[in-house]
Amino acid sequence: MSGHEDNPVGRLPPLPLILGIAFACVASVGLIWLVGRDSVAAMAYGGALLAILLTLLLMARLRALPEFVELAQPDWTVTAAAIENRRRAIAITDRANRLACANSSYEEWFDGARGPMELPFDAASRDQMIAAAREAWRDGAADIGMVSTEQGDRNFSLTVDRAGRGEDYLVWRFSEIVQQRSYDGLAERIAGSLGEVTSRAGIELALVAPDGIVQAGSPGLSERATGSRENSLAGMEFVQLLRTDDRDRIFFAREGQHGSPQTLIHVPLDQTGVPRTKDADEAPSLMMLIDSTVGIGGGRDNSGKAAIPQLEALLSALPLGLALTDRDGRFLFANKAFLRAVEREGHGLPQFPSDLVVREDKAAMADTVRRFAKGATSSGDMAVRLAGDKEEPVSIGLAGVRGLGDAAVLLSISDSTEEKRLRRQVAQATKMQAVGQLAGGVAHDFNNVLTAIIGYCDLMLLRHTPGDSDYDDIQQIKANSNRAASLTRQLLAFSRQQTLRPVVLQLPDVVSEVSQLLKRLMGDKIEFSVRHDRELGPVRADPQQLEQVIINLAVNARDAMQAHAAKTGKQDWKGRLMLATRRVSARDVRKMGIDIMPADDYTVLIIQDTGGGIPEENLNKIFEPFFTTKEQGKGTGLGLSTVYGIVKQSNGFIFADNVRGPDGAPSGARFTVYLPVHKGEMPIAVRQEEPEEQKASDWSAGGKLLLVEDEDTVRAVAERALVRAGYTVTTACDGEEGLAAIANGKTEFDLIVSDVVMPAMDGPAMVRAIRKVKPRLPILFMSGYAEEQLRNEIDIDNMHFIPKPFSVQQINAKVAEVLAEQRG
């Protein structure tokens, strides 16, 4: 357990020492008077000594006080005891990322007292931890779903909270994510009720470690191997329990050849979700000893066929997916776990194992089964793709068995349904993040092009009047440019890089604002209904963007219902769109078991239609940009991707699924939006009005501007627009050139207008260097990224923002507004 220890505090000097110091002071004063015969100087010298002595005594007295001790050095003993937790590693760091305190689990898991930032996590996890620390310092808390070590052998979930009297510490809580293994709990079952049942059927079980040591055995196996059912086989070598004769028949060593011969079946066990090549040396094996002479009703049958019913009963009770084939490769039996793993539950087995896999793997599967059936007894595995899931390969274990009549090959497979679901969720989240970054970058670059096009259109319109031959053409170019700008805004919304103005609001208020519009959009054939829960918690979001979410989902539902009606050929059809809000507590979230969504209180928006549902193959694609099932020319494929981006940027979650009808077929689609409940108080004013722009438009005093932009066309159009507005403009093509213009000192600039992303030196780096010599110089950033994102990442005082693309009028008005604000 780590923690700081108190330093020893000063104590009051002893009385003899005080008297000695006092006597020395009086003697020195007397000596001064005898030498100089000046009483005034002696008194001044004595007064100074007295002041010094009193100051020293006061300081010693203060250091003896408990309050002084507490301020001098914090005591982490109580904190270290309070954070003790065997299942969670907890560490506390200060603002310099130094480890202040940690519990024993932290030291044990991470081998020493190092700060969280120094732990051996992979690069992606380190980036997540740095972002989480920044978020915790800013917002008070942060949560990471999973961080992994560099070797990838351990995974942890991590939460970071800000704490302390001055909120100057971070509390890191690590919880290890333990993968489920197919053999977890199997030892207890073998030694308990399962072993009792199989022993009565003439089948003995043993769980054996890779080094051959028995970890658990059935009671019947203990009795036949040691003579007593009470003896534990744990720790004994499995091979010492058996012996063979000259015909390679297997007997219990204690019984010798007077006992009955046994059939040994070796079933390798793997960890669920871990590749077999990685776990083969660590996972135990299940050994099954089947009495070859025990028949139905206790009779003797040397053919081995009598053991098949008992073997099938045993395989049905095991949690691992197991199946048997004959020498020709035909299926004889499969338990429920096997059917569930190959997605054949309720449909039964096909004739051959090769019928379970895709066409490319059929020949390899058939040859492997035939080889294990007719060759020497051995075991192995192979990776195949199931016909029902062509994207995810699975590992099927094979083992040759003998002495069981027709049974020749034992197949094993782990039920990885849950693992596949989690893997799909992670893959979908990763793909959406990558597509979002790509979309944001494309939108940012495209905004530069649109800024130049719109700017030159505005400059040309200044030289033309309505009625000119070119005026309408220029207006058409500008209108199409603005349409393209709206598409880039949708891409920025998907990539969560648009500018939001969140406020605290009630979700039913937003629904009521758009209800009338939705009724007109739905038309006469679609019934529209709204239902609200009581005591809904407030949420923090941009009301206009929430309205966009509701409208996009409603229009998507309307189009789906119309397409479903056209597909089914119904002329007199009726649809129904249901919109509801619900209250979901943290307890409900935990019951749902959604791993990617933190357990918290949510206000939920549900939009459900009767449009026939979403095809299963499209469920993981509907939120991707430009993905659409509509005909060419009908829709851009950005509606649902915009919804996804707005919800995620509002710290919410959105899920899509199908609603089943009485016959089990999809009857409609349902979109569920989870928005976290705002814990603060509701403000009096729901939303502040935007500042009036009249003040900026009245500014006409001119000024000297430094324009820094790496795109030549954007720089040229902005320069011409500002010069026409009466400003004196100096241009620079990058941050270094802009910094040189300031360093020359020939011009005293009133404002810097700069792009954010530039080669060599970007805008924020340039501004930080300029502020060292010009601390009061205002800055106006131009960017296609979100203002909120830039302010969080840049954090520069007296910073203003104008989004790209902008028109000539907009940049002139923004510059005038900033200058008017600076000059009062």
Side-chain angles (χ1 to χ4, degrees):
M1 193 184 307
S2 297
H4 293 292
E5 296 181 358
D6 294 337
N7 292 325
V9 300
R11 299 179 180 176
L12 290 176
L15 182 59
L17 179 60
I18 296 175
L19 293 177
I21 294 174
F23 178 76
C25 293
V26 173
S28 62
V29 171
L31 183 61
I32 294 246
W33 181 80
L34 288 175
V35 173
R37 296 293 181 175
D38 189 345
S39 60
V40 176
M43 292 178 63
Y45 177 74
L49 286 178
L50 180 61
I52 293 173
L53 180 60
L54 291 176
T55 302
L56 293 175
L57 290 174
L58 180 60
M59 291 180 62
R61 184 65 176 175
L62 287 175
R63 287 177 60 84
L65 293 176
E67 294 82 356
F68 187 88
V69 175
E70 182 179 355
L71 292 174
Q73 182 67 38
D75 183 4
W76 293 99
T77 306
V78 177
T79 304
I83 63 176
E84 270 304 304
N85 193 317
R86 296 182 58 186
R87 298 183 179 180
R88 182 175 294 180
I90 302 175
I92 301 175
T93 60
D94 58 14
R95 286 197 174 270
N97 288 327
R98 294 173 301 196
L99 184 65
C101 184
N103 64 1
S104 56
S105 297
Y106 182 88
E107 295 182 352
E108 179 183 350
W109 291 5
F110 301 119
D111 191 21
R114 291 181 291 174
M117 293 299 185
E118 302 174 5
L119 298 179
F121 289 111
D122 57 29
S125 299
R126 287 178 180 273
D127 294 340
Q128 287 182 308
M129 292 172 66
I130 293 172
R134 188 182 302 117
E135 181 181 349
W137 284 123
R138 184 181 68 247
D139 300 333
D143 191 356
I144 302 179
M146 186 175 72
V147 293
S148 303
T149 57
E150 291 178 344
Q151 294 78 14
D153 56 345
R154 300 182 70 184
N155 300 318
F156 302 89
S157 62
L158 171 62
T159 60
V160 187
D161 297 287
R162 192 176 62 212
R165 291 183 179 178
E167 295 191 345
D168 49 1
Y169 291 96
L170 289 184
V171 180
W172 304 72
R173 296 180 176 88
F174 295 86
S175 299
E176 186 166 13
I177 302 174
V178 181
Q179 288 182 310
Q180 182 183 5
R181 302 173 300 184
S182 60
Y183 54 84
D184 284 341
L186 188 57
E188 292 77 6
R189 298 180 65 184
I190 289 175
S193 58
L194 177 62
E196 292 283 359
V197 172
T198 58
S199 293
R200 288 196 297 268
I203 303 173
E204 306 301 347
L205 304 177
L207 191 65
V208 181
D211 58 0
I213 301 300
V214 178
Q215 295 180 342
S218 60
L221 178 63
S222 177
E223 182 178 11
R224 299 190 68 174
T226 66
S228 173
R229 299 175 69 90
E230 305 300 327
N231 292 340
S232 175
L233 299 176
M236 301 178 63
E237 290 190 30
F238 181 72
V239 294
Q240 297 298 325
L241 307 179
L242 307 173
R243 61 176 301 275
T244 59
D245 62 4
D246 53 359
R247 291 189 294 172
D248 289 332
R249 292 183 302 174
I250 299 174
F251 298 88
F252 282 102
R254 178 176 172 273
E255 297 175 351
Q257 295 187 10
H258 298 289
S260 57
Q262 305 293 312
T263 299
L264 175 63
I265 299 178
H266 173 212
V267 181
L269 301 177
D270 291 334
Q271 287 185 357
T272 302
V274 178
R276 185 177 177 86
T277 56
K278 176 181 177 181
D279 192 54
D281 295 334
E282 300 177 3
S285 299
L286 178 65
M287 300 295 185
M288 294 186 293
L289 289 166
I290 304 174
D291 196 327
S292 302
T293 61
V294 176
I296 300 176
R300 296 288 175 178
D301 187 345
N302 293 325
S303 66
K305 296 182 180 180
I308 293 297
Q310 290 87 343
L311 180 61
E312 292 182 357
L314 168 66
L315 298 183
S316 298
L318 292 175
L320 182 66
L322 297 169
L324 290 170
T325 70
D326 59 16
R327 293 182 178 276
D328 295 328
R330 292 183 178 85
F331 272 120
L332 295 175
F333 166 80
N335 63 4
K336 291 182 179 180
F338 187 91
L339 294 174
R340 188 165 52 248
V342 298
E343 300 178 0
R344 299 281 299 185
E345 196 172 17
H347 301 284
L349 282 173
Q351 189 173 7
F352 295 96
S354 57
D355 296 332
L356 298 174
V357 300
V358 297
R359 179 172 55 84
E360 295 81 2
D361 294 338
K362 285 182 178 294
M365 186 71 184
D367 291 342
T368 304
V369 172
R370 191 177 301 110
R371 185 175 72 253
F372 277 93
K374 297 182 179 180
T377 57
S378 60
S379 63
D381 57 32
M382 64 181 302
V384 295
R385 289 173 296 164
L386 299 177
D389 188 1
K390 300 180 180 180
E391 297 181 358
E392 296 288 343
V394 297
S395 178
I396 293 183
L398 300 99
V401 295
R402 301 293 181 267
L404 294 178
D406 294 335
V409 179
L410 176 69
L411 288 83
S412 62
I413 185 173
S414 297
D415 183 7
S416 56
T417 305
E418 182 67 15
E419 176 200 348
K420 290 179 182 178
R421 185 184 69 83
L422 294 175
R423 190 160 55 238
R424 282 195 293 265
Q425 286 182 352
V426 173
Q428 178 71 2
T430 304
K431 179 174 66 176
M432 296 295 275
Q433 182 179 4
V435 174
Q437 292 175 348
L438 173 63
V442 171
H444 175 264
D445 294 339
F446 194 41
N447 276 335
N448 280 332
V449 179
L450 292 176
T451 300
I453 296 175
I454 294 173
Y456 279 115
C457 287
D458 288 337
L459 292 174
M460 294 176 65
L461 289 174
L462 294 175
R463 301 194 300 271
H464 294 77
T465 58
D468 290 351
S469 58
D470 295 334
Y471 184 85
D472 291 338
D473 295 337
I474 298 172
Q475 286 283 27
Q476 189 65 32
I477 294 172
K478 185 177 180 181
N480 283 283
S481 300
N482 287 326
R483 181 183 175 190
S486 68
L487 292 178
T488 63
R489 283 193 294 270
Q490 288 179 295
L491 284 175
L492 288 173
F494 168 75
S495 59
R496 292 171 260 173
Q497 295 174 359
Q498 67 169 343
T499 300
L500 294 184
R501 294 179 174 84
V503 296
V504 181
L505 50 84
Q506 287 287 353
L507 196 54
D509 296 338
V510 180
V511 174
S512 63
E513 288 289 333
V514 296
S515 292
Q516 295 301 322
L517 174 61
L518 291 180
K519 290 180 181 179
R520 291 193 294 270
L521 288 174
M522 293 302 104
D524 297 333
K525 291 191 174 183
I526 298 177
E527 176 187 350
F528 176 65
S529 62
V530 179
R531 186 178 62 191
H532 298 297
D533 267 4
R534 295 184 178 181
E535 300 179 359
L536 294 174
V539 299
R540 187 175 184 270
D542 188 326
Q544 292 185 353
Q545 298 297 330
L546 278 186
E547 291 175 3
Q548 186 69 43
V549 167
I550 297 172
I551 292 173
N552 284 10
L553 291 176
V555 170
N556 183 74
R558 180 201 64 187
D559 296 343
M561 287 184 280
Q562 292 175 350
H564 182 64
K567 182 178 180 180
T568 55
K570 295 181 179 179
Q571 299 295 329
D572 188 19
W573 63 277
K574 290 289 184 180
R576 186 166 68 254
L577 178 67
M578 294 160 285
L579 194 152
T581 57
R582 291 182 181 174
R583 175 170 50 90
V584 175
S585 64
R587 180 183 301 177
D588 298 330
V589 175
R590 281 190 288 268
K591 291 181 180 178
M592 288 188 290
I594 302 177
D595 302 285
I596 62 175
M597 191 167 70
D600 200 353
D601 295 333
Y602 292 88
T603 296
V604 180
L605 172 68
I606 301 174
I607 296 181
Q608 181 177 325
D609 60 57
T610 57
I614 305 170
E616 294 293 333
E617 63 271 15
N618 294 337
L619 271 176
N620 291 332
K621 303 177 183 178
I622 56 174
F623 293 120
E624 296 178 7
F626 305 112
F627 176 80
T628 179
T629 57
K630 299 176 183 178
E631 299 178 4
Q632 187 174 3
K634 295 184 178 180
T636 62
L638 288 173
L640 291 180
S641 62
T642 302
V643 168
Y644 175 86
I646 293 172
V647 172
K648 297 298 289 184
Q649 196 170 356
S650 302
N651 297 321
F653 300 87
I654 182 169
F655 301 99
D657 62 344
N658 289 323
V659 181
R660 303 286 175 178
D663 57 350
S667 62
R670 175 173 55 203
F671 289 85
T672 309
V673 178
Y674 292 84
L675 295 174
V677 172
H678 180 69
K679 303 299 183 181
E681 297 180 356
M682 284 288 291
I684 298 176
V686 175
R687 182 170 183 176
Q688 297 179 355
E689 296 295 332
E690 294 291 334
E692 296 183 1
E693 297 185 1
Q694 188 64 34
K695 178 180 178 181
S697 62
D698 290 342
W699 175 262
S700 58
K704 297 177 181 180
L705 311 179
L706 174 60
L707 175 63
V708 187
E709 169 63 59
D710 62 311
E711 288 284 342
D712 296 338
T713 54
V714 177
R715 185 174 65 254
V717 72
E719 180 185 9
R720 290 180 59 183
L722 294 171
V723 169
R724 288 182 64 92
Y727 299 103
T728 302
V729 182
T730 302
T731 61
C733 62
D734 56 33
E736 294 178 348
E737 190 174 332
L739 187 59
I742 295 292
N744 289 336
K746 296 179 180 180
T747 305
E748 289 292 331
F749 295 104
D750 300 305
L751 175 66
I752 299 176
V753 182
S754 173
D755 192 15
V756 175
V757 180
M758 293 183 292
M761 178 181 286
D762 60 11
M766 178 195 69
V767 171
R768 292 189 182 97
I770 292 175
R771 286 286 176 84
K772 294 179 180 179
V773 295
K774 301 285 185 181
R776 298 182 179 275
L777 189 59
I779 176 70
L780 173 61
F781 278 125
M782 308 175 291
S783 178
Y785 291 112
E787 178 181 0
E788 183 179 2
Q789 178 185 1
L790 290 177
R791 290 189 181 276
N792 291 335
E793 294 181 357
I794 297 176
D795 191 21
I796 295 177
D797 294 334
N798 201 8
M799 180 186 79
H800 304 271
F801 177 82
I802 181 172
K804 292 180 181 179
F806 50 75
S807 64
V808 169
Q809 294 80 5
Q810 287 172 334
I811 189 171
N812 288 338
K814 189 64 180 182
V815 169
E817 176 188 342
V818 174
L819 291 175
E821 180 181 332
Q822 298 299 315
R823 300 186 181 182

